[in-house]
Amino acid sequence: MSDRNTPQTATVECVRLYDPASGLDGYIALHETDLGPAAGGCRFWSYANGEDAKADAVRLARGMTYKNALAGLPFSGGKAVLRRPEKDFDRTALFEAFGRAVAQLDGRYVTAEDVGTSVADMQVVASMSRHVAGLPPEAGCAGGDPSPWTAQGVFESMQVGVAKALGRDLEGVTVAVQGVGNVGADLCHRLHAAGARLVIADTDAARCFALAKQVGASVVGVDQIASVEADVFAPCALGGALDLEVARNLRAKLVCGAANNQLATRDVAAVLLDRGIVYLPDYVVNAGGIISVSAEYLGEDAGHVGQRVAGIAPRVAALIERAAQESRSPAHVADEMAEQVIANARELQPA
Ligand code: NAI
């Protein structure tokens, strides 16, 4: 496998975004592999400094490459990370400036929603560039907020994981959900409908209590959610939810959630494996969003999205089985499978 196509070492180009007039300050990271142009959402979040934002963009772009590869999408990984201004700002002007930056990349990067951005923000970007998805769909076409597709893929993966790891269905299973934003809240509604018990936490207390009323969930503090008594832990907030300490104290037997980059470090996967906890790799279970976004960008219909999202759970089932047979973490098995897809794409390139 050449260096260029080993996701850990392939080049990541970082484009600096800086427009003091609008408050735009951030990065677009493009992971250069032979899968295709870089695709991945735009995160709008508070970062202590530019270096943290840049590091997050690079990490997230690499994760997107693995995700796109395993989902069979013709895209490499990309990510935009924009620092939320501390002072008042004009949101339209900021996303117009971001849209101009996307336009300048001329299709090398395709953006969409991520944490902190909405369909309305992407409509502003679309006024500047056509390389954006997650826009209101036209009849029969793919499009719109990708979160419900993400939640569906996570939910169906959890069903498979619970069946294989716990030998039961979701009825009566306790799921601890960390972060109840767009995906987390949707996931909670699906779990509630399937008879699961919910324990939830979010830094936004009002959002958390409002949802708790709707789905009969118990609310705990954000510092408690990872160690509560539960069968499943579902990280649906930001990355790095599982560090070594969290992994050593986790009581759940299955981890399955929407957040990107859940493992703070690679050695966390080994701790989970040693403790008999089944970890379903984030980028495998949360591919529903990018599946929707890429179908929209490629002009496919909504039926395509449903078919591809329905393919996530069987992929998860195969992954759990192979990992168990080989006594390895599903995280390592998934990485290997994604790297093979990327290597195959490299071989298809003209010499
Ligand atoms: P969101 O911004 O709607 O929700 C995130 C929620 O997490 C917010 O309610 C926020 O208050 C909460 N939160 C932040 N820090 C927290 C903490 N320390 N403890 C508990 N709660 C905390 O974002 P969204 O769209 O629901 O995404 C959630 C995760 O899933 C992100 O990591 C995102 O990258 C990932 N993801 C989302 C996709 C989508 O389609 N929206 C697709 C694939 C991945």
Side-chain angles (χ1 to χ4, degrees):
M1 201 183 296
S2 81
D3 242 19
R4 178 163 149 66
N5 274 277
T6 305
Q8 288 301 325
T9 53
T11 313
V12 182
E13 181 183 338
C14 252
V15 179
R16 176 87 172 102
L17 309 174
Y18 187 59
D19 177 46
S22 64
L24 179 73
D25 181 4
Y27 293 89
I28 296 174
L30 302 101
H31 195 205
E32 297 185 329
T33 71
D34 292 302
L35 291 172
C42 170
R43 182 164 292 195
F44 188 49
W45 197 249
S46 298
Y47 288 86
N49 54 60
E51 282 310 300
D52 285 0
K54 186 177 181 183
D56 213 20
V58 169
R59 209 166 28 231
L60 288 161
R62 284 210 168 98
M64 287 306 300
T65 293
Y66 281 84
K67 189 186 307 196
N68 293 337
L70 267 196
L73 303 175
F75 292 98
S76 189
K79 203 82 183 183
V81 166
L82 312 184
R83 297 178 67 190
R84 199 184 168 87
E86 281 170 17
K87 297 191 181 139
D88 286 349
F89 63 98
D90 177 341
R91 196 165 177 117
T92 303
L94 193 149
F95 279 93
E96 279 173 354
F98 172 59
R100 284 193 291 274
V102 172
Q104 272 174 13
L105 288 167
D106 200 21
R108 291 180 58 221
Y109 169 62
V110 180
T111 197
E113 294 89 346
D114 189 59
V115 174
T117 54
S118 64
V119 173
D121 296 327
M122 293 308 122
Q123 286 178 291
V124 175
V125 174
S127 68
M128 297 290 149
S129 170
R130 65 189 175 86
H131 304 296
V132 53
L135 303 169
E138 287 167 27
C141 297
D145 177 7
S147 304
W149 291 112
T150 306
Q152 182 177 326
V154 173
F155 174 77
E156 290 173 1
S157 299
M158 198 182 290
Q159 272 181 317
V160 165
V162 164
K164 295 212 173 275
L166 309 176
R168 50 194 290 202
D169 62 25
L170 284 168
E171 176 91 46
V173 161
T174 302
V175 184
V177 182
Q178 178 186 52
V180 290
N182 290 326
V183 183
D186 187 321
L187 177 66
C188 285
H189 284 290
R190 291 172 200 259
L191 289 168
H192 177 60
R197 294 196 192 113
L198 291 162
V199 186
I200 63 176
D202 198 297
T203 43
D204 184 335
R207 179 181 287 174
C208 207
F209 281 102
L211 179 71
K213 262 195 194 165
Q214 296 167 26
V215 296
S218 317
V219 175
V220 298
V222 289
D223 50 346
Q224 293 170 301
I225 189 73
S227 57
V228 290
E229 189 70 54
D231 302 298
V232 184
F233 177 48
C236 296
L238 299 184
L242 291 149
D243 60 18
L244 287 173
E245 197 189 333
V246 169
R248 288 184 188 120
N249 293 314
L250 202 64
R251 294 204 237 172
K253 285 287 162 220
L254 177 74
V255 177
C256 174
N260 285 311
N261 294 345
Q262 290 167 26
L263 305 183
T265 49
R266 271 177 77 80
D267 48 1
V268 172
V271 174
L272 295 174
L273 182 68
D274 282 351
R275 294 197 58 222
I277 298 168
V278 176
Y279 168 69
L280 302 186
D282 43 23
Y283 65 81
V284 183
V285 306
N286 73 9
I290 193 70
I291 287 172
S292 168
V293 160
S294 65
E296 175 185 344
Y297 185 68
L298 297 171
E300 295 174 345
D301 61 43
H304 265 95
V305 181
Q307 273 169 18
R308 289 214 186 97
V309 173
I312 294 175
R315 197 173 299 132
V316 167
L319 185 60
I320 297 174
E321 278 164 28
R322 182 169 152 194
Q325 273 163 12
E326 297 175 6
S327 301
R328 295 167 69 203
S329 166
H332 294 154
V333 175
D335 283 359
E336 204 173 274
M337 288 162 69
E339 283 159 14
Q340 190 57 55
V341 173
I342 295 158
N344 293 346
R346 173 71 178 153
E347 270 163 31
L348 289 175
Q349 292 302 307

